[in-house]
Amino acid sequence: MKINLSALTALGISSFALTSCSQSGMHQRPNIIYIMSDDHAYQAISAYGGILKDLAPTPNIDRITREGMRFDRCLVTNSISGPCRAVILTGKYSHLNGFITNEGQKPFDGSQQTFPKLLQKSGYNTAIIGKWHLGSDPTGVDHWEILPGQGNYYNPDFITKDGRHTETGYVTELITYKCLKWLKENKDSGKPFMLMMHHKAPHREWQPGPEELTLYKDVTFPEPTTLFDDYSNRGAAEKSQDMTISKTMRLEEDLKLYKDRGKMKNTGLNRLSPAQMAAWDSVYNPIIRQFYKSDLKGNDLIRFKYQRYLQDYLACIAAVDKSVGEVLDFLKENGLDKNTIVIYASDQGFYLGEHGWFDKRWMFEQSYRAPLIIKWPGVVKPGSINSNMVSNLDLAETFLDMAGVMVPSDMQGRSMVPILKGLTPRNWRKEHYYHYYEYPGSHMVKRHYGISTERYKLIHYYYDIDEWELYDRKSDPEEMKNVYNNPSYASVARNLHKRLQKLMIKYGDSEEFARSFLPK
Ligand code: SGN
Ligand code: CA
C-alpha cells in the first residue's frame, strides 16, 4: 500500500506514528539480509542454468533458490554500479535520485528518503557493510563499514565513521567476518534487523582469494555462441564500444599475465604480503610462462583470454558463495532462519563473453537482467521460479512492505510481496523503462534509453548519434539483429514508441531533461 507522506505531514501525522500503529507484535517482523555482489552475471549461477550450469561454483546461492524464489526477469534501470545502488536505496529512477553515473558524479545525496532510513525509523536495527560506491557516507543505518570507491581485493581499506584504516586479508572473507560479527552482536537486541551485505567480488580485475587460487586452473569452459560477434546488423553504438575481450581486456592487469610487475600496483596487487604474493606467484607464474611461449594470435588468443577471464571470475564467485553459506549456517545455528528473509542479488548483470564482451551498461539481456533470489520461510514456496518483469526499482518498496512499513507514494517501483506470496497482481508491469547515461566514459557505451516488453526492446541512442534499434527476442534471443528499419516491424515500432513516450511521462523523464543536467 502506498501513502503520500507529504499529505500526512500536512495533516500533522508522522509516518512513524502511522507505521508504529499499523504494526502489531513488532518483534515478529522479519529480519532482512540483502546480500549483493558486484557484477555477478546470472549466467554464473548454477541455478539459473545456461552453459556454465555445471561449472558455476554456487551451491549455497543455489540453496537460497531451492528454498525460495528465483526471478528470471529482474531488470535494472541503469546498468552500472553507483546508479543501481542509488535506485535500490531510493526506489526512484536515476534522474530523480540524482545519481546518474559512476564517473564525474556528485556524491549521493544521503539526506533524501531511502528505504534503510524508513526501516530504521520504524524500529529496525540497520547496517551496511562492504562496497558502497556512492561517494557520501551512508545514512539511515545504525552501523556502517564500507570500502572506499571500488575497494581492493587484498588487504583492503575500510571506512567507518571514525575514518579510514587498512585490514589484512581477502575482501570477501573480511566482509563476511564483519557481517557475522554484526549479526552476533545485534541478534538479541530485541529489534528486527536489516543488513545490507555488499561484496566487492566478482568485480574487475577479478582477483581470486587465497583459498580459490587454483580452483579453475585446469578447467575449460564452453564458449558463448556470440563470442566472435562482429556487430553486423547493428548500429554505431555496438560497433564503437570499448569492452571487448579481444581489444579492451588487458593481458597484464585483467588476466594477470604480467611481464612488467610494476603494473601490479595499478590493480592493488602491490598490497599483497610476501606470503600472499608467494602463493599468488606459484599459481600465476607457470601460466605466464606458458602463455608467452605459446604466442597465440587471432581467435586463438581471444579463446585463451576468455578461458583465463572465466577462471578468475568464477574463482572470485566461489568465495562469495562460501560467504553466503556461512550466513545461512549462522542463521540456522542461531534459530534465526525461520524469521529472516535472505535475498541474493547483484548490482547489475554482466557479460561473460556474449557479443565478445565483458562489463555491462547495455539494455541487452546479459547486463540488463540481474540475478535475484529471495528466500522467505513460510511465505515463499520453496523452489519457485518467477518470470514477471520485476526491477531493482521495486526493492525498496518490497523491503518496506515485508517489514509492514507504509510505502511513500513518491517511490516509483512496486512491492513484490504479492508475487512472493504467489499472487502476481493482474496489472503487474508489462513493460520496463531503461536509461543509461555514462558517456563518454569507461567502455564507451553510448547513452541510451528504451522500453522493454516481454518480447521486444526499443532503444534510442540519443546523445552524439540519433539511432533507434528494435530487437525481437522471440525470433532473435541473442539480440544480434536490429529490425527497426524492417517494414514488417513498422507497426510494432509505432506501438512501442507510444508506450515509451507514456513511460517517460509516467516516470518524469525526457531526453531534454537528460541533456539539461549532463556534461556536454
Ligand atoms: C572500473 C572498471 C570498469 C568498470 C567500472 C564500473 N575498470 O572503472 O571496467 O566498468 O569500474 O564498474 S578497472 O580497470 O578499474 O577495473 S561498476 O560495477 O562499479 O559500475
Ligand atoms: Ca557492478
Side-chain angles (χ1 to χ4, degrees):
M1 174 186 182
K2 287 206 193 197
I3 194 147
N4 186 329
L5 285 187
S6 41
L8 286 173
T9 315
L11 291 170
I13 302 169
S14 79
S15 59
F16 178 60
L18 234 174
T19 42
S20 302
C21 54
S22 72
Q23 303 308 317
S24 56
M26 272 175 109
H27 61 283
Q28 282 178 1
R29 294 196 289 165
N31 305 308
I32 301 171
I33 301 185
Y34 178 68
I35 308 174
M36 181 164 74
S37 51
D38 192 359
D39 293 356
H40 192 171
Y42 60 84
Q43 311 91 290
I45 294 179
S46 183
Y48 271 97
I51 60 171
L52 300 175
K53 183 177 183 305
D54 298 326
L55 294 166
T58 54
N60 292 297
I61 297 170
D62 296 348
R63 222 165 113 191
I64 308 183
T65 314
R66 274 199 306 280
E67 295 171 22
M69 185 177 276
R70 182 188 92 194
F71 287 87
D72 280 1
R73 265 195 100 53
C74 174
L75 306 173
V76 299
T77 62
N78 177 4
S79 178
I80 185 167
S81 165
C84 283
R85 291 158 202 269
V87 168
I88 291 166
L89 290 170
T90 60
K92 290 179 187 166
Y93 272 94
S94 305
H95 62 282
L96 295 188
N97 69 45
F99 204 90
I100 55 171
T101 56
N102 280 343
E103 296 171 6
Q105 171 70 59
K106 280 198 300 253
F108 176 68
D109 171 13
S111 70
Q112 66 186 300
Q113 165 185 280
T114 62
F115 88 83
K117 272 190 196 172
L118 295 171
L119 286 184
Q120 187 187 45
K121 229 173 156 185
S122 83
Y124 268 73
N125 199 347
T126 56
I128 147 94
I129 296 171
K131 180 168 169 179
W132 171 245
H133 210 200
L134 288 169
S136 51
D137 289 349
T139 54
V141 284
D142 299 296
H143 175 78
W144 58 272
E145 202 162 349
I146 57 172
L147 298 169
Q150 297 284 9
N152 283 110
Y153 274 104
Y154 277 84
N155 308 329
D157 286 358
F158 281 90
I159 307 175
T160 68
K161 62 177 176 15
D162 301 321
R164 182 165 170 157
H165 66 280
T166 305
E167 299 213 9
T168 306
Y170 185 63
V171 72
T172 306
E173 292 167 9
L174 291 169
I175 290 169
T176 309
Y177 171 80
K178 288 172 190 302
C179 287
L180 292 176
K181 182 166 178 281
W182 185 82
L183 287 170
K184 276 178 207 149
E185 288 168 1
N186 289 278
K187 68 182 172 57
D188 300 319
S189 70
K191 287 174 158 192
F193 59 78
M194 189 285 294
L195 168 66
M196 302 181 86
M197 176 181 194
H198 289 188
H199 282 298
K200 168 190 170 58
H203 191 273
R204 195 181 181 194
E205 288 89 2
W206 320 296
Q207 294 171 4
E211 302 287 319
E212 290 83 23
L213 280 171
T214 57
L215 202 59
Y216 286 99
K217 205 165 71 58
D218 302 314
V219 175
T220 303
F221 301 96
E223 291 168 3
T225 51
T226 60
L227 182 60
F228 299 102
D229 194 353
D230 62 3
Y231 317 111
S232 51
N233 301 313
R234 271 147 297 159
E238 291 82 0
K239 293 185 174 79
S240 65
Q241 44 64 37
D242 180 25
M243 52 188 282
T244 58
I245 290 178
S246 75
K247 291 208 184 73
T248 316
M249 192 177 271
R250 301 159 299 184
L251 290 176
E252 291 177 284
E253 287 94 333
D254 291 321
L255 300 180
K256 335 303 187 290
L257 302 166
Y258 287 102
K259 269 184 170 166
D260 172 3
R261 291 176 71 91
K263 286 190 184 166
M264 285 185 160
K265 72 171 182 326
N266 301 342
T267 66
L269 278 181
N270 59 322
R271 303 173 78 94
L272 271 65
S273 68
Q276 288 168 333
M277 191 56 98
W280 182 275
D281 283 340
S282 72
V283 175
Y284 286 97
N285 280 351
I287 300 175
I288 294 173
R289 273 196 299 273
Q290 175 63 31
F291 172 72
Y292 287 107
K293 237 198 297 176
S294 60
D295 193 28
L296 297 171
K297 299 247 168 8
N299 285 357
D300 289 342
L301 180 58
I302 295 176
R303 290 205 157 94
F304 174 86
K305 289 174 86 174
Y306 167 74
Q307 295 294 332
R308 186 81 281 294
Y309 164 38
L310 255 68
Q311 285 170 352
D312 289 347
Y313 179 83
L314 290 179
C316 289
I317 290 170
V320 171
D321 185 76
K322 202 164 73 182
S323 162
V324 169
E326 286 175 42
V327 171
L328 294 178
D329 291 347
F330 173 85
L331 293 175
K332 194 153 208 150
E333 282 155 18
N334 289 276
L336 291 165
D337 54 324
K338 296 274 178 301
N339 198 33
T340 302
I341 301 169
V342 180
I343 298 109
Y344 185 80
S346 168
D347 57 347
Q348 10 70 201
F350 208 68
Y351 293 93
L352 301 179
E354 300 87 358
H355 303 291
W357 291 336
F358 67 101
D359 213 64
K360 50 262 174 178
R361 301 161 191 270
W362 302 93
M363 204 180 154
F364 299 121
E365 281 308 273
Q366 290 81 6
S367 46
Y368 183 36
R369 249 184 82 184
L372 177 69
I373 306 166
I374 302 183
K375 155 175 140 61
W376 188 356
V379 175
V380 171
K381 186 162 161 265
S384 36
I385 295 172
N386 180 273
S387 58
N388 292 125
M389 262 190 225
V390 301
S391 175
N392 58 352
L393 188 69
D394 301 327
L395 291 174
E397 292 177 44
T398 303
F399 297 150
L400 293 172
D401 199 7
M402 284 168 164
V405 175
M406 293 290 183
V407 174
S409 63
D410 60 351
M411 287 191 171
Q412 298 182 304
R414 189 162 177 187
S415 166
M416 291 156 53
V417 167
I419 293 182
L420 290 163
K421 291 181 174 164
L423 302 164
T424 301
R426 233 180 305 154
N427 63 355
W428 189 260
R429 76 163 68 75
K430 305 273 185 301
E431 53 203 14
H432 183 259
Y433 178 63
Y434 183 82
H435 198 152
Y436 169 80
Y437 305 79
E438 190 172 287
Y439 180 89
S442 292
H443 302 296
M444 297 303 277
V445 173
K446 290 185 189 292
R447 283 178 200 166
H448 57 289
Y449 62 87
I451 179 175
S452 167
T453 64
E454 285 300 328
R455 177 165 175 183
Y456 300 106
K457 278 179 197 169
L458 177 70
I459 307 173
H460 189 207
Y461 296 94
Y462 68 94
Y463 175 70
D464 56 345
I465 55 171
D466 178 11
E467 288 186 14
W468 288 89
E469 294 185 357
L470 174 63
Y471 292 89
D472 180 350
R473 290 179 49 245
K474 192 165 172 203
S475 63
D476 175 27
E478 291 181 317
E479 301 172 315
M480 299 289 279
K481 200 167 179 199
N482 167 25
V483 292
Y484 188 72
N485 292 317
N486 179 336
S488 51
Y489 284 91
S491 69
V492 171
R494 259 196 314 277
N495 174 271
L496 288 171
H497 271 294
K498 274 193 218 137
R499 291 169 74 177
L500 174 59
Q501 267 314 311
K502 277 198 194 149
L503 274 187
M504 291 181 90
I505 292 167
K506 171 174 172 185
Y507 293 122
D509 198 12
S510 70
E511 230 181 270
E512 295 65 43
F513 186 39
R515 288 177 197 279
S516 75
F517 60 75
L518 289 170
K520 297 281 176 293

